[in-house]
Amino acid sequence: MQEIKGNLLNISGVVEEVIYKNTENGYIVLDLDSNGEQITVVGELGDIVEGERLELYGSYVNTAKYGRQFKAETCQRSLPDTPAEIRKYLGSGIIKGLGPALAKKIVDKFGADSLDIIDNDPLSLSEIKGVTADRALYISNEFRRLSGIKNVIEFLQQYQISPAVAVTLWRMYEADAINRVKENPYILCDEAIGVDFEQADAIAESLGLDKFNQNRVLSAIIYTLRRNSDAGHTCLPYTRLREVACDFIGVDEDSFDKGLQAGVEAGQLDALDISEKTYIYLHEYYRAETYIALRLAEMLKLSVPKIKDFADEIAGVEFTENIQYETLQKAAINGSLGNNLFILTGGPGTGKTTTLNGIIQILKRQKKTLALAAPTGRAAKRMSDLTGEDAKTIHRLLEVDFSKTDKLAFKRNERNPLKADVVIIDEMSMVDALLFESLLRAIKTGASLIMVGDSNQLPSVGAGNILRDLIAGGEIPTVELKEIFRQAAESMIVTNAHDIVNGEYPYLESKDNDFFFLPRQTEAECASAVCQLCEKRLPKAYGFSPLWDIQVLCPGKRGEAGTWNLNIELQKRLNPADGKKKEFRHGGHLFREGDKVMQTKNDYDMTWSKDDGEVGRGVFNGDIGIIEKMDPIGRMMAIRFDDRVAEYPYDSANELDHAYAVTVHKSQGSEFEAVILPLFEANSRLYYRNLLYTAVTRAKKLLIIVGSAKAVMTMVDNNRKSGRFTNLRFMIKE
């Protein structure tokens, strides 16, 4: 049966066969018997099985490979009611241990009443030979559970919420899921569920809930704090939060205060008074900052400076490695060996790696067990290459695990600490508050922590400003390396980077080094030059791969020279459609086999495998990869991240952006053979000094600025730091 309702076609029938099912995202391909006509149906419909009756709303699509299909947008499900359909349904494997043979026996005995018997009189099943009372009760309980999941799916589909969300909701609340949503739709905004506040708000309005109700206000506060944590803030001043949240949902200050108090009493929010100001935290960030401050204080108490001077050990390394450390390098080695906590910082070319290698050599001669790690896979690999020691990502070092509620956890913690005597973390500026908390929990009592990084880099993508706060706190022994070594000084990338951080304009007239400036008069000319450099000029002149070696870094996303436009233009040039490459649209993106993409959020559950057979989980914010292949039927794609290949459901494409051009913020912790930096909008709020410095220091062999010299000077003159609301530096001092 088929009819038009609104803009969608309505069809109904019985599921004849399930051809494909993706349990991760609920995507399914099935054959539907619609009054004798067989129709292939595709869509995110959940865990549907043979024998179910469906009423679907959608439209027909024609594909070159799979022909005519009905793409379902919504689905209403009902249980089969004829003996033949019930037999097919029960024999589909939907209930573990109930296969076609037992399904036939049940239907032969109870006919069209079979499902009613299973639901309301399960012990009658024990009349069938081989079915015990326990087995009968198990079948009944599983049937009721599955019916409950289906009810949740159907309930949420009327609000255009996916089956995947419904399954997560069921896992959390089971049979009470629908009632919970009706009472408080804002539970859907829980981080584990992930529905947008606006969508939950629309459900609440449809249910007739008062806009001043406490659940709504609290949810808006949490949403505002979480959105700001995505921008790097661990907290917000009370007055600022109140202003933003009240404006966002249209409530008065009294309603705001009541919602805030409810959140504090429920343990979801925390308030902290610092310097006569009140700051409001999501509980996890308050817990992180307070724990970090307490644990560091504890480590400092144990860090009684040793009287011994390590001059002999340093001299031994100098002799064996045929090097000569300068004064600050020796101070750094002494400080790292003589304290349980130590920070080594400095810009490019100042000898951080040489110093770190000396520290490692001495620690190994002292028979200390070491653990080396960095925040990203690329940074860890670079650390391994430069030190000759095995280095892991921090997540891998801590051994990613999951709690019973599917939230991120680590196997390494206070109860199961790392065995290392010394933990060394590189690229410390990239470490956020939550990750640093987890790291500190995993370091055993008495062990040392050495943190290496450049405090002038942009702070972490995640919330917090850890390295800068630790240095500003003034309690942790720190050495900043400042002298640029002769070999490094020959690089214009290095010398210009130091000029920039010191507030001096970089030299833009170089014609034969590793730092070039290409002036362009308009933003369109700037964008065109960037594309030409990527497509032809740099590959031809230097042999660089446009995908793996060259990276375009932009201050922002907007404009002709921003990431949004450049990704479209570079995709056309570097990976054009050819009729053979598979592709699909998701949101505003067209993804194609061969595309360069970036993960935009931490996904700890994403599975990956290496060519050597190693498997693991976790793809992280800022990871760059190439789409190797797509499977339109399975709605999956394989993405290679260096030596790992991850299997992505199409549904997870909302975690991806094209990466032909990325923002400077997203490039943290990575280095590229060649960097192209388009700069044109001189008045942009994104144009400030340490963003330019970070961009320049991402380049290993070649840096090209394209655009306006005035924009470069504006950035150098603007010494605004990446302001973040955090309180760790004050907590450390207390």
Side-chain angles (χ1 to χ4, degrees):
M1 176 181 149
Q2 303 186 20
E3 59 179 296
I4 301 292
K5 289 193 177 182
N7 295 322
L8 296 176
L9 183 66
N10 170 236
I11 68 172
S12 60
V14 177
V15 179
E16 190 68 25
E17 181 183 4
V18 175
I19 300 167
Y20 173 83
K21 185 187 297 183
N22 187 320
T23 56
E24 292 289 322
N25 58 19
Y27 183 82
I28 197 166
V29 181
L30 59 87
D31 283 338
L32 189 78
D33 181 354
S34 181
N35 290 338
E37 180 187 0
Q38 185 171 298
I39 302 171
T40 300
V41 176
V42 300
E44 294 177 8
L45 306 177
D47 193 17
I48 287 172
V49 299
E50 286 91 350
E52 284 193 87
R53 289 185 174 274
L54 305 180
E55 185 173 5
L56 304 164
Y57 293 84
S59 57
Y60 283 102
V61 294
N62 288 294
T63 66
K65 188 171 183 179
Y66 304 109
R68 190 168 184 253
Q69 299 175 328
F70 186 85
K71 186 178 181 181
E73 302 295 336
T74 63
C75 170
Q76 294 178 358
R77 310 161 67 172
S78 59
L79 292 172
D81 55 10
T82 70
E85 292 168 3
I86 293 171
R87 179 177 167 182
K88 183 183 286 285
Y89 175 77
L90 291 176
S92 66
I94 190 171
I95 296 174
K96 189 177 180 181
L98 203 169
L102 181 55
K104 182 178 184 303
K105 291 179 181 179
I106 293 172
V107 174
D108 285 349
K109 185 169 182 61
F110 300 109
D113 296 327
S114 295
L115 298 182
D116 184 62
I117 292 291
I118 291 172
D119 192 14
N120 299 307
D121 188 18
L123 291 178
S124 293
L125 295 177
S126 59
E127 297 172 15
I128 298 171
K129 187 176 180 180
V131 178
T132 64
D134 286 345
R135 190 179 182 190
L137 291 172
Y138 168 79
I139 291 171
S140 180
N141 288 334
E142 280 297 289
F143 175 75
R144 291 169 182 169
R145 183 182 69 82
L146 292 165
S147 296
I149 293 175
K150 291 172 186 175
N151 290 338
V152 175
I153 290 172
E154 290 177 9
F155 172 74
L156 291 180
Q157 276 187 333
Q158 65 183 310
Y159 302 110
Q160 288 73 55
I161 294 175
S162 73
V165 169
V167 171
T168 303
L169 185 70
W170 172 267
R171 287 176 183 161
M172 294 176 69
Y173 300 109
E174 296 188 337
D176 200 33
I178 293 175
N179 287 333
R180 289 288 193 110
V181 173
K182 287 180 176 178
E183 291 170 4
N184 178 18
Y186 301 100
I187 64 171
L188 295 170
C189 300
D190 185 283
E191 193 176 16
I193 300 174
V195 172
D196 287 340
F197 176 86
E198 290 87 347
Q199 203 169 3
D201 211 28
I203 296 172
E205 186 177 1
S206 73
L207 295 171
L209 298 180
D210 180 17
K211 79 171 200 175
F212 292 96
N213 82 80
Q214 204 170 84
N215 288 327
R216 180 174 186 260
V217 176
L218 174 56
S219 182
I221 293 171
I222 291 171
Y223 178 81
T224 303
L225 287 169
R226 199 163 300 286
R227 189 170 57 180
N228 277 274
S229 73
D230 291 339
H233 307 291
T234 60
C235 57
L236 285 179
Y238 165 79
T239 51
R240 179 164 176 166
L241 174 62
R242 184 183 63 193
E243 180 184 353
V244 171
C246 288
D247 182 65
F248 176 48
I249 59 172
V251 300
D252 54 40
E253 292 181 1
D254 185 57
S255 297
F256 171 85
D257 286 336
K258 289 178 180 176
L260 177 63
Q261 185 61 33
V264 172
E265 290 174 357
Q268 295 173 279
L269 305 174
D270 291 276
L272 177 69
D273 294 326
I274 295 280
S275 301
E276 299 182 353
K277 279 189 177 181
T278 299
Y279 294 86
I280 308 301
Y281 286 79
L282 292 169
H283 177 68
E284 62 260 39
Y285 291 110
Y286 178 78
R287 182 202 65 221
E289 287 198 346
T290 52
Y291 177 83
I292 291 168
L294 288 169
R295 183 67 207 279
L296 292 179
E298 180 185 283
M299 293 178 75
L300 285 168
K301 285 180 182 177
L302 296 173
S303 186
V304 180
K306 303 174 177 64
I307 298 175
K308 182 178 179 182
D309 187 344
F310 293 91
D312 291 343
E313 287 84 348
I314 294 171
V317 174
E318 288 179 319
F319 178 77
T320 57
E321 300 296 323
N322 194 27
I323 58 173
Q324 182 65 50
Y325 293 116
E326 55 96 17
T327 303
L328 279 177
Q329 287 180 304
K330 291 179 180 179
I333 296 173
N334 261 315
S336 65
L337 298 173
N339 296 278
N340 277 17
L341 280 172
F342 185 78
I343 296 172
L344 171 62
T345 185
T350 57
K352 288 198 304 294
T353 300
T354 304
T355 305
L356 180 59
N357 280 332
I359 294 168
I360 291 170
Q361 291 299 318
I362 295 172
L363 289 170
K364 287 173 70 175
R365 291 173 186 180
Q366 294 176 341
K367 307 298 183 185
K368 301 286 188 180
T369 55
L370 309 180
L372 278 65
T376 68
R378 287 192 170 202
K381 185 178 184 302
R382 179 172 172 270
M383 192 181 189
S384 291
D385 293 342
L386 293 174
T387 64
E389 302 291 324
D390 180 44
K392 302 175 179 177
T393 64
I394 298 174
H395 289 84
R396 191 177 174 196
L397 178 70
L398 301 181
E399 300 176 31
V400 171
D401 196 16
F402 290 87
S403 67
K404 292 180 180 179
T405 58
D406 275 349
K407 289 192 174 182
L408 176 69
F410 294 103
K411 293 179 182 178
R412 295 293 182 177
N413 49 43
E414 300 99 322
R415 296 176 300 281
N416 181 31
L418 297 166
K419 295 179 180 177
D421 300 315
V422 182
V423 176
I424 303 173
I425 304 297
D426 198 12
E427 295 288 357
M428 192 62 201
S429 63
M430 292 184 64
V431 178
D432 62 52
L434 297 181
L435 186 57
F436 193 47
E437 176 198 9
S438 296
L439 176 68
L440 290 176
R441 290 185 184 277
I443 295 176
K444 68 182 182 182
T445 301
S448 299
L449 173 63
I450 299 171
M451 294 167 280
V452 184
D454 184 349
S455 60
N456 289 309
Q457 299 282 355
L458 292 171
S460 59
V461 174
N465 206 347
I466 297 297
L467 181 60
R468 200 170 293 169
D469 278 352
L470 295 184
I471 295 172
E475 300 296 319
I476 299 173
T478 300
V479 170
E480 181 182 3
L481 303 179
K482 297 179 179 181
E483 182 180 332
I484 305 174
F485 286 86
R486 182 180 60 79
Q487 187 174 356
E490 295 173 359
S491 165
M492 291 296 298
I493 293 174
V494 172
T495 56
N496 277 335
H498 282 270
D499 286 343
I500 290 166
V501 86
N502 291 325
E504 300 173 13
Y505 300 139
Y507 182 67
L508 302 180
E509 305 301 322
S510 174
K511 304 296 182 185
D512 60 355
N513 206 284
D514 55 5
F515 188 111
F516 298 93
F517 173 70
L518 300 182
R520 291 295 182 270
Q521 299 304 310
T522 67
E523 194 173 5
E525 290 177 0
C526 178
S528 176
V530 169
C531 292
Q532 290 172 14
L533 287 165
C534 291
E535 183 185 14
K536 295 178 180 178
R537 293 177 64 177
L538 296 190
K540 183 179 179 180
Y542 297 89
F544 289 144
S545 163
L547 294 181
W548 290 110
D549 296 331
I550 303 170
Q551 186 59 60
V552 179
L553 301 182
C554 306
K557 299 177 180 180
R558 302 179 184 277
E560 290 183 84
T563 60
W564 287 342
N565 181 63
L566 284 175
N567 272 317
I568 293 171
E569 295 302 318
L570 287 168
Q571 184 191 45
K572 291 177 185 176
R573 296 176 183 239
L574 303 181
N575 189 35
D578 60 5
K580 298 178 181 178
K581 299 172 186 172
K582 300 182 184 68
E583 57 186 40
F584 80 101
R585 287 195 176 275
H586 189 93
H589 296 286
L590 175 63
F591 292 104
R592 180 179 296 135
E593 288 178 333
D595 270 344
K596 184 177 182 178
V597 293
M598 172 180 277
Q599 179 75 11
T600 60
K601 61 186 289 188
N602 290 338
D603 188 332
Y604 304 104
D605 206 26
M606 186 70 70
T607 58
W608 51 260
S609 60
K610 291 186 177 181
D611 296 335
D612 62 5
E614 182 186 349
V615 297
R617 290 199 296 182
V619 182
F620 304 107
N621 195 345
D623 285 354
I624 293 175
I626 306 292
I627 301 176
E628 289 193 331
K629 70 178 177 179
M630 292 178 175
D631 174 10
I633 285 290
R635 290 178 63 80
M636 299 288 290
M637 54 184 166
I639 302 180
R640 176 170 291 279
F641 298 95
D642 295 322
D643 60 345
R644 300 169 296 150
V645 177
E647 296 288 333
Y648 273 71
Y650 279 12
D651 248 16
S652 294
N654 64 324
E655 299 179 359
L656 296 172
D657 274 340
H658 286 101
Y660 301 101
V662 303
T663 63
V664 177
H665 282 84
K666 289 291 189 180
S667 72
Q668 292 166 255
S670 296
E671 285 190 328
F672 311 96
E673 298 296 296
V675 168
I676 302 171
L677 179 62
L679 298 177
F680 202 81
E681 291 291 335
N683 296 319
S684 171
R685 63 182 179 83
L686 297 172
Y687 279 43
Y688 53 95
R689 187 185 299 172
N690 73 326
L691 187 138
L692 177 61
Y693 173 77
T694 299
V696 169
T697 55
R698 298 307 88 201
K700 292 169 66 176
K701 295 180 179 179
L702 182 67
L703 187 287
I704 301 177
I705 297 177
V706 184
S708 162
K710 183 181 177 182
V712 177
M713 296 174 187
T714 297
M715 295 183 81
V716 174
D717 290 339
N718 183 6
N719 196 28
R720 172 180 79 84
K721 300 289 185 182
S722 296
R724 293 189 169 188
F725 290 112
T726 68
N727 287 304
L728 181 59
R729 62 192 181 281
F730 304 115
M731 293 179 179
I732 292 172
K733 292 180 178 181
E734 290 185 349

